[in-house]
Amino acid sequence: MKQNRNKITNKQLVFYIIQAQIGVGILSLPHDVALVAKQDAWMSTLLAGVMSQVIIFGFWGLCKRFPSSSLYQILPKLLGRVIGKVVILCYALYFMITGSLVLARYSDIIDKWILPSTPNWITMLLILITCIYIVNEGLTSIARFYVLVSPILIVLIVLILNSMKDANLLYLFPIGDHSIQTIMKGSKEAAFSMLGFEVFLFIHPFVQSSGKEKLRAITTSNIFVTFFYTFMVFASLIFFEPIRDIALTPEPLLYMIKAYSFQILERTDLFFLSLWLVIVATSIANWLLLSAMGLASLVKKKNYASFLPLVAGINLVLAILTDQGRDFESFNHFLGPTHYIFIVIIPVLLLILSFVLSKKEVVSKV
Amino acid sequence: MKGNQLILVLLCLFLTGCWDQHLMKNAVLIQILSFDLTPEKEILLGVSIPIIEESSGGPQAPVRSETFSATGQTPRNSRLKIDREISGILDSSKNKLILFGEKMAGVGIYQSLDVIWRDPRNSLGATLAVVEGKAVDLLNIKPRHEPNVSEYIQDALTSAEENSIIPNQTIQTLASEMLDLGEDIVLPHLTMNKRKSAVVVGLALMNEKKYAGNLPPQESTLLLLLNNKKGKYARFTKQVNKDLKPEINNYISFNVQDMKRKLKVYVKDGEVSVLLNLDLKINVDEYPKGDVPKEIERLNRVLSKDLTEDAKQVIDKLKEANCDAFGIGRRLIAFHPETWKAQDQKEYFKKIKFNTNVKVEIIKHGIVM
């Protein structure tokens, strides 16, 4: 009974990863990518999706060798107790910092677009309380909640489609005018928004399905997210002049929606933002969960819930410290290489190590 | 249970949003903004605000409007001055229209719009227009049948939009076109006539961000057709006969029912030429001479020739104003990037050769012959 409570199904895994991937970055993604790759930004986005798929295969390979251990359990097995614990701590801190950055970006947008005079710590505190509440209830509840809120993504697509009536397809041409290097550079920008699929490393033991099904699930979510993002970037590229206008607009999607009003609904961007809040909450909750899980496994506690307030508190402090828009740059700069280390290099090294040491979990009964 | 109650109380305290409330009772909604340039190069900002009067028995309270204006270095600066003059807080979130005086438009409209794009509370659904003379004067007119100037001008613009005299556009859709090097915008052109009412007198042609010329109503309709931006109706009146008595028999009025536009850009040895074909299927509204079917061949021919001439004239005027309303430059960027780089990116439009043809075909002539 107790074990069943924390299991999720394969379908829930799909939505879980979609919600973890799509987060705060979605609003500014078209701007960030278009700054580098101009009208070819949509290719960069697709490319970022392909790259994350490659990483996903790596993840899956690692998880296949340890079907019932999360990364936090794999680490000490492969690296030994001491180094393993150090790396776990690093992971927990990394997730904490990423979560703080997401939180800071969220409050920055809320501050700019809706609540300019409300103190930022209030909006942060409110969303953190909500996230603690979501995460506190265990994986099954989190997954159920994520499935429940997924239709919001369709609403976002519809709202964007509505503004497509004033789009100009000519802005996309000439296609492929930029070199492969430029497009690659653009996909580096897009990659930050793709993050979130690493949650698979930590929750895969709780999914009730075979290895192949898991791979199919995570691939489905990655394909969905890639196309979702590519659509958003594509839409902004044909709506805004891709060299000068989009460079002036940090949140192109909001602008697109703001320009239209319906018969009974004006300032559609406010409506959009309130839906977007939920999307952000799901990704903040995700990072909260990962970080708390890491801390819990550090002290060998089964239940991570008691660490949630601590993690959230650190998140809040870090986010308030970097609240000024200018700090994001340096924050991002610092986080850039760390993403590669924690998402790409360490898991791949672990995979190689597990082959070299030929360490593998003995499958007793699944 | 106790804990929950505590949380409820806390939520009530937290979720009121008291920092960012904007109460309607304190707000003074701006319905039109106008920008003018004073001789001292300062900005004269005019705002039209609605005043709701006490209902005099009827179900709806009559609304009239009041105009305030002030000068300043920037639009925000002027607005602050107006804000000090009126009771309440000026709120431009429901603004529907932005008018530019001719002088201001001649200097450039982009700079004064910055504040509107920058502030999230502003409405991006507003339309822009250029006014002959001073824009603030247009806010001061007292139309007889509609005491609210804002409603009045907007209705005038809406009907002009339906009649394809001006295009349907908002400040956000214009932003991209204005910033695009390979495309220019056209704006509604308004004027105040002797009886102090506002008239749409066609289109103001913009060169990049500056006012550079204008088109009268019939030609503006033709431009919109050539640009594939037909509204609900597109009506013309043309002379097709000579010396008939009474004079009214010389004319035909028609509405464009259906249209097809073909625009192709050719590049040969670095020279750009454009093939612009317009196929109009028209519905005769008025032909006092009568019997359209008998003359249909001739009418088609005469109207085609006439409109082709007009189209050429429209394009000449565009060239004179250096207003690339068709976005030929954007097509060059898109499909002939090398040619575009070799072009003078400011004056390219003047050098483009146009091959324009308008073909008219009468398909309907009402319920009489």
Side-chain angles (χ1 to χ4, degrees), chain B residues 129-144:
Chain B
V130 174
V131 180
E132 211 175 303
K134 268 169 82 181
V136 72
D137 291 343
L138 200 67
L139 300 187
N140 280 322
I141 56 173
K142 295 259 177 292
R144 278 208 199 111

Side-chain angles (χ1 to χ4, degrees), chain A residues 112-119 122 126 166 168 170-171 173-174 239-241 244-245 248 255 258-260 266-267, chain B residues 14-15 19-20 94 96 110 117 119-122 124-125 172-173 175-176 179-181 183 330-331 333-335 337:
Chain A
K112 272 198 295 194
W113 282 83
I114 322 183
L115 304 170
S117 10
T118 306
I122 298 266
L126 283 174
D166 285 312
N168 185 351
L170 287 176
Y171 289 151
F173 294 94
F239 190 82
F240 292 95
E241 198 270 329
R244 301 207 271 171
D245 199 6
L248 290 173
Y255 242 90
K258 185 175 187 280
Y260 300 93
E266 212 166 327
R267 284 302 298 281
Chain B
F14 272 131
L15 294 177
W19 289 279
D20 277 291
K94 298 279 171 197
K96 289 278 184 279
Y110 182 76
W117 280 305
D119 186 347
R121 280 175 43 78
N122 278 327
L124 292 179
Q172 184 51 42
T173 59
S176 276
L179 285 169
D180 192 349
L181 288 173
E183 195 168 3
R330 176 40 64 181
R331 279 167 198 262
I333 297 173
F335 301 117

